[in-house]
Amino acid sequence: MLGYGFMGEAHANAFARLPMFVDDAPAVERDVLIGRDEAALAEAADRLGFARTATDWREVVDEVDAFYNLGPNDVHPEPTITALEAGTPVLCEKPLAPTLSAAERMATAAADAGVPTGVGFNYRYVPAIQYAKELIEAGELGEIRQFRGRYLQDWLVDPDAPASWRTDAERAGSGALGDLGAHTVDLARFLVGEIERVSGQTTTFVDERPAADGTGTEPVTVDDAYGAQVRFDNGAAGTLEASRVAPGRKNDHTIEVEGTEGAVRFSLERLNELEVLGSENRGFETVLVTETDDPFLDHWWPPGHVLGWEHTFVHENDAFLSAVADGTSYSPGFADGLAVQRVLDAIQASDERGEWVAVGQ
Ligand code: SOE
């Protein structure tokens, strides 16, 4: 596993929970943790339960059964492609790459390798999102007409919040668009289908921020917020939005889907609930998605004993590592990551050109 920050902890926690809660979970041996700072790496390996460490990914990506790339976006392409060329399955965090061309190279390497690949779209693994998918696929909402997805955070609202790789276009590719919008685009594709064209805009409100090392300032070269109108292949219409400068919004990912016969609403701030339009069309009913026959819930607690954000990673890792163990394909894989990246790229192009842009295939 390359990386041991926020995402490293989320995945390592999932590895530890799998054998405790999932009866037929694949056995996971936490072998080697990869990073550059030897002292910090040793501490993290000990805390996260890894047997050994490596400071050069080149030395180990061909020795393992699966490689997790949880590094900054600019660190996604090279180690991932090298691992795939060695025949190693890879799970890579989102967005797949900082640029569309790098994402294309990664998806090509994945197709050539023919091994399972995964992209860290963990919100597919929220039970309420899976339940919404079941309702849509069963035709309960009728023909889908509209999708609305909004992902709001506030950690950059303070202009003195420091610069990082996440505010640097060379390293991240984009800001709120790739970091948060990638999740929303993934759910739009998952629930409604492919996006055909977009009209988007990106905005940067704070042009420079204090350098993380305290030496002066650094330019901000990514967006603080984006918005887009989208048209799906199936004729549905959508609006997408994300911000990292929305005061009071800590991690609010809101999804709404409307069809000819019904509608659903979801907010990550209430992740155990799905609001479903009642059959009398007199408002939404709040459905608590915690019954043991709801998606993924058989692994956990009795009904009403709610799940949290970290459980999405357990479900995600169960599915991905089962695919690795069984040699089957996994979704969302690199083809999905590339499809999302094409939408992100089209939104940036639309902003630059001031017009609707077709999403490349
Ligand atoms: C950013 O703030 C972030 O950590 C994203 O990078 C994650 O993908 C998202 O799930 C939570 O917010």
Side-chain angles (χ1 to χ4, degrees):
M1 188 168 92
L2 186 160
Y4 48 87
F6 182 21
M7 286 303 119
E9 290 174 346
H11 286 283
N13 175 61
F15 300 150
R17 302 280 84 75
L18 274 174
M20 287 180 213
F21 289 96
V22 182
D23 288 346
D24 52 355
V28 186
E29 193 185 321
R30 277 166 272 171
D31 180 12
V32 54
L33 187 65
I34 308 167
R36 284 180 302 188
D37 177 334
E38 282 189 32
L41 185 60
E43 182 281 323
D46 190 43
R47 185 165 43 85
L48 302 180
F50 280 78
R52 59 187 176 123
T53 63
T55 51
D56 186 350
W57 52 264
R58 287 173 194 80
E59 288 171 7
V60 291
V61 292
D62 61 345
E63 289 176 0
V64 291
D65 297 321
F67 171 54
Y68 276 55
N69 191 334
L70 315 179
N73 301 349
D74 62 326
V75 181
H76 291 179
E78 202 190 346
T80 294
I81 291 171
T82 306
L84 289 169
E85 285 173 350
T88 305
V90 181
L91 185 135
C92 183
E93 268 305 331
K94 39 54 58 180
L96 188 55
T99 63
L100 178 56
S101 62
E104 283 169 343
R105 286 194 290 117
M106 292 167 76
T108 301
D112 291 348
V115 295
T117 55
V119 183
F121 293 127
N122 59 304
Y123 297 122
R124 287 196 188 198
Y125 292 94
V126 173
I129 292 289
Q130 291 278 337
Y131 184 56
K133 169 95 170 158
E134 282 180 15
L135 293 177
I136 292 168
E137 290 201 333
E140 298 285 331
L141 274 54
E143 190 182 316
I144 302 305
R145 288 177 165 164
Q146 286 182 274
F147 174 91
R148 219 163 288 109
R150 198 184 68 176
Y151 200 154
L152 305 179
Q153 296 185 343
D154 70 355
W155 55 279
L156 283 177
V157 75
D158 179 355
D160 289 330
S164 70
W165 69 266
R166 290 175 183 271
T167 55
D168 178 354
E170 289 288 312
R171 303 204 60 199
S174 63
L177 175 64
D179 187 26
L180 305 179
H183 282 302
T184 313
V185 172
D186 180 61
L187 291 188
R189 293 183 64 250
F190 184 55
L191 295 172
V192 180
E194 294 300 341
I195 293 172
E196 177 193 276
R197 59 193 162 100
V198 304
S199 170
Q201 54 90 12
T202 63
T203 311
T204 305
F205 298 104
V206 179
D207 292 334
E208 59 176 23
R209 292 184 175 276
D213 63 5
T215 57
T217 60
E218 280 178 20
V220 172
T221 49
V222 299
D223 56 286
D224 287 322
Y226 89 99
Q229 300 282 334
V230 306
R231 178 73 68 181
F232 291 83
D233 275 357
N234 61 13
T239 59
L240 314 178
E241 182 190 3
S243 173
R244 303 196 289 199
V245 294
R249 306 292 187 166
K250 301 301 173 191
N251 197 28
D252 188 19
H253 197 189
T254 308
I255 300 294
E256 300 180 352
V257 187
E258 282 116 28
T260 50
E261 310 290 329
V264 292
R265 304 200 300 220
F266 168 80
S267 165
L268 187 59
E269 291 184 340
R270 304 177 71 129
L271 74 72
N272 291 273
E273 298 174 3
L274 186 70
E275 290 182 88
V276 183
L277 182 64
S279 53
E280 299 297 318
N281 192 17
R282 294 179 63 175
F284 285 78
E285 292 170 354
T286 301
V287 177
L288 196 56
V289 189
T290 63
E291 295 296 319
T292 46
D293 59 356
D294 283 330
F296 310 121
L297 264 299
D298 55 335
H299 302 317
W300 300 104
W301 321 117
H305 294 69
V306 293
L307 299 195
W309 184 80
E310 72 276 23
H311 294 89
T312 64
F313 287 83
V314 183
H315 308 152
E316 176 185 37
N317 279 288
D318 181 27
F320 176 70
L321 292 170
S322 295
V324 172
D326 301 343
T328 53
S329 66
Y330 171 82
S331 179
F334 279 20
D336 296 290
L338 175 58
V340 168
Q341 200 94 29
R342 289 193 201 286
V343 177
L344 305 180
D345 189 71
I347 290 171
Q348 282 182 309
S350 170
D351 176 64
E352 281 157 23
R353 294 174 6 207
E355 61 188 24
W356 281 84
V357 168
V359 177
Q361 295 302 322

